Each structure stands twice: as structure tokens, then as C-alpha cells.
Amino acid sequence: MHSAIALCLLLLACGCSRFQKHEVEMVYVSAPQMYIRDRVAAVSNRVAEVVNGDPLEVIEHGRRFLKVKTGKNQIGWIEEHAVIDEKTYDAFTQMADAHKQDPVAATATLRDELYMHVTPGRETEHFYLIQGNAKVQLLTRASVAKPATPGARPAAPQPAADGKTPEPSMPAMEDWWLVRDSSGHTGWLLGSRLDVDVPDAIGIYAEGQRFVGAYVLTTVNDPDSDGSNHDIPEYLALLAPPKSGLPFDFDQVRVFTWSLRHHRYETAFRLHPIQGYLPARVFTTTANTGTVPAFSFELADSQDISTDPATGITRPASPRTINYEMIETEVKRIGPDMAPIPSGRAAEDKALDKKPVKKKHK
């Protein structure tokens, strides 16, 4: 009797196992291009070529190698460092979903091919490879410590203001941008390898600063111009000092209007210094003269800002939204917030390197 029961249970277990779903382990190619080979040996044959983003099913784990199967059922071995696991792949997928509705702060062009990282930092996991000269949408800026150069000596402590107690040296920082590419892939790219898209016509007016963004406010018609249909765009421009790790996205707002008399751009409005934060918004509003262009941006109400320790994203603790409208070439502040705008000089001075004072020789 007991034997019959045991046999039934065994058959039942075997039958259930047939219906159990076999868990498939997947990895994804992070290398630009790679061959899977028929064996792990000094001499081996190529089985198939795989490229960045390709999914592979894991069949067997080896030492530093994985036996995998492609979507075309080609089986071979690939180096483990050339792929990412499902956990990292899911992190990129979740990041794209979380930020698919984020407003675009600006657009930029890659100087050369770059990997998207799952978090800011050169040593973090990376996956999608974006080709050089590709256009990406900039969403959010973050600043993290720059890795030390191997073999480099640590910076000497800086003397304090009283000349007694040395102040600890601050680590060099570098900016990263959360970006979205034309395929909807989202990840972090090193900011120093990106060039913000700025029209050449106003790019020459940088005055030693770097453009953070340039946005068309409106157009004017100049019959003597070379523009398409003689329509010339007028721009809102955001600028910042050429330095990474700043506690703000921009500290200067300028409006470039077109002079019909001189046929050139002129600065109609400048606000500096402030602690400004992206994104800026361009829209239209109604004035006594009809519909006119307008814009808004966020700024910090004080020096109270917060930095996310996980990403390095800095935001004001109490942000304010400031609005302006432009009637012809006059830019006028509007909106519910008409309180004075605090100067961002303290934050700017803190972030910028101070030039050493040269001693006079007697």
C-alpha cells in the first residue's frame, strides 16, 4: 500500500515538472561588436557575430566565459565582460520608462561614440553605445567626483584664510547628463564629450562663458537678410561659467534680438548673476499688443540647495519660477512672483576656483 502511494506521488511529481516553466537566463551584449566562438581555447572558430544590444540566452557558465545561444539558435562562447546581466538591462529599461515624459532641457551632439551609463560615473555599469555626431536630448545634469589619474599625487591642502589651519582639498568634479537618444534609450553620458546645440549666429557672443541652452522666442522679418523667407529667429540663451560641478545649471540669462537697422544680433536683456535651474520654458502670453513671446525658468531663493547622494543631481530646496514676456525688443517681468531676485554671486564665487594672489617682490 505504502509502495503504491509513493509510486503515485513520484509519477505526480514527474508530471508536474513537465509543466514547470524553465527559467531562461538572458544577457545582453555591451561590447560594440564581438564574435562568439565554438570553444574556449587559444585556437577557435567564429560561430556568429553579435553587436551592442543583442540578447543572448545563457546555456552554461564557465570561467570568465559564458556559453550562449543567439536568436538564430547559434551556440558558442563569449567573454563575460562583453555582456550585462538582466538586472542591469532592467535598470536601463526602468530608467527609460521613468523619464520618457521629462521635458527636454536642450539638445546636444556627441563628439565621439559614448556608452550610456546606468548612473553618473566612469566606473558604473554601461550598455547602449551611442555613435559620434548623434543628437541626444538633455534631461538632467549631475556632478560627481572625477576619478583620480593613476600615479598622480594628491593635491596639497589649501591654506586657510587665517593662514594657520590647512583646508582639505576639494575633489575635482565632472558633469554628467541624463539623456534620451532618437530610439528612446535613456542613460547618463559624460558632459565633457557633448556639445550643446547653439546657432553659430549667437554662439560668437559667448564672451568666455558656455551656452547651456538656446531657444527660439520668435522670428522677425528682415527683407535685407539672408535667412529663409527673410525670417530671423530671436533667442533666449542660458549661459554658465566653463566649469564642472557648479551648484546651479546656469547663472546668466540673455535675450538676443535682431536689429532691423544694423542687420545683426543685439542683447536686449541680460540677468546675471543668478542660481538658475533647467528646464527653461518658452511659451506665448497675451499683452496689450496681442500675443507675445514669453519664457520662464527656476531659480534658488537662497543658498539652500540639496544634492542627491545617489546621482549628484543638485536642486534648490525652495525653487521659484520667474516669468518674462517680450514686446518687440523690450523684456518685462510678469507673473505672480515679483519678489526681488537674489544674487547668485555667493554660489558662483564658491564654485569657481579663486586665482592665487601673486606676491609682490620688494
Side-chain angles (χ1 to χ4, degrees), residues 100-117:
K100 63 183 178 182
Q101 300 298 332
D102 285 10
V104 179
T107 60
T109 304
L110 275 66
R111 296 181 186 176
D112 44 32
E113 63 180 24
L114 285 176
Y115 275 109
M116 281 185 171
H117 288 244

Side-chain angles (χ1 to χ4, degrees), residues 172-191:
M173 305 294 286
E174 61 184 10
D175 287 346
W176 288 73
W177 279 96
L178 181 64
V179 308
R180 185 168 52 224
D181 71 1
S182 59
S183 299
H185 300 145
T186 303
W188 292 90
L189 295 181
L190 183 60

Side-chain angles (χ1 to χ4, degrees), residues 182-215:
S182 59
S183 299
H185 300 145
T186 303
W188 292 90
L189 295 181
L190 183 60
S192 62
R193 308 309 302 164
L194 304 173
D195 292 317
V196 174
D197 294 334
V198 178
D200 292 338
I202 64 170
I204 60 175
Y205 300 111
E207 298 177 354
Q209 305 297 291
R210 61 180 172 89
F211 278 88
V212 176
Y215 317 90

Side-chain angles (χ1 to χ4, degrees), residues 41 55 65 83 93 111 118 125 141 160 163 172 194 207 216 260 302 337 360:
F65 286 84
V83 299
T93 301
R111 296 181 186 176
V118 71
E125 291 283 358
R141 182 188 66 94
L194 304 173
E207 298 177 354
V216 176
L260 296 175
S302 65
D337 187 340
K360 296 182 179 180

Side-chain angles (χ1 to χ4, degrees), residues 218-275:
T218 187
T219 59
V220 295
N221 189 269
D222 183 354
D224 296 326
S225 71
D226 297 328
S228 177
N229 298 322
H230 304 293
D231 288 333
I232 305 296
E234 297 183 321
Y235 296 98
L236 163 69
L238 309 177
L239 300 95
K243 180 180 177 64
S244 296
L246 295 171
F248 46 79
D249 290 330
F250 57 92
D251 71 341
Q252 184 174 166
V253 178
R254 293 176 68 180
V255 172
F256 293 98
T257 54
W258 183 258
S259 171
L260 296 175
R261 179 180 178 184
H262 299 105
H263 310 294
R264 69 185 183 197
Y265 280 105
E266 297 178 347
T267 300
F269 174 80
R270 186 196 299 259
L271 181 63
H272 172 77
I274 60 171
Q275 291 189 74

Side-chain angles (χ1 to χ4, degrees), residues 289-354:
T289 58
T291 301
V292 297
F295 61 91
S296 67
F297 55 86
E298 283 191 354
L299 57 76
D301 193 33
S302 65
Q303 304 300 323
D304 189 11
I305 59 175
S306 61
T307 301
D308 183 350
T311 61
I313 297 174
T314 299
R315 299 297 300 172
S318 302
R320 294 169 55 189
T321 300
I322 308 301
N323 296 271
Y324 288 87
E325 67 179 11
M326 186 174 76
I327 301 176
E328 295 184 352
T329 60
E330 181 182 358
V331 178
K332 178 183 177 182
R333 189 171 169 189
I334 58 172
D337 187 340
M338 298 297 289
I341 294 177
S343 171
R345 181 63 67 189
E348 183 182 53
D349 290 344
K350 182 180 179 180
L352 296 175
D353 290 332
K354 294 183 179 180

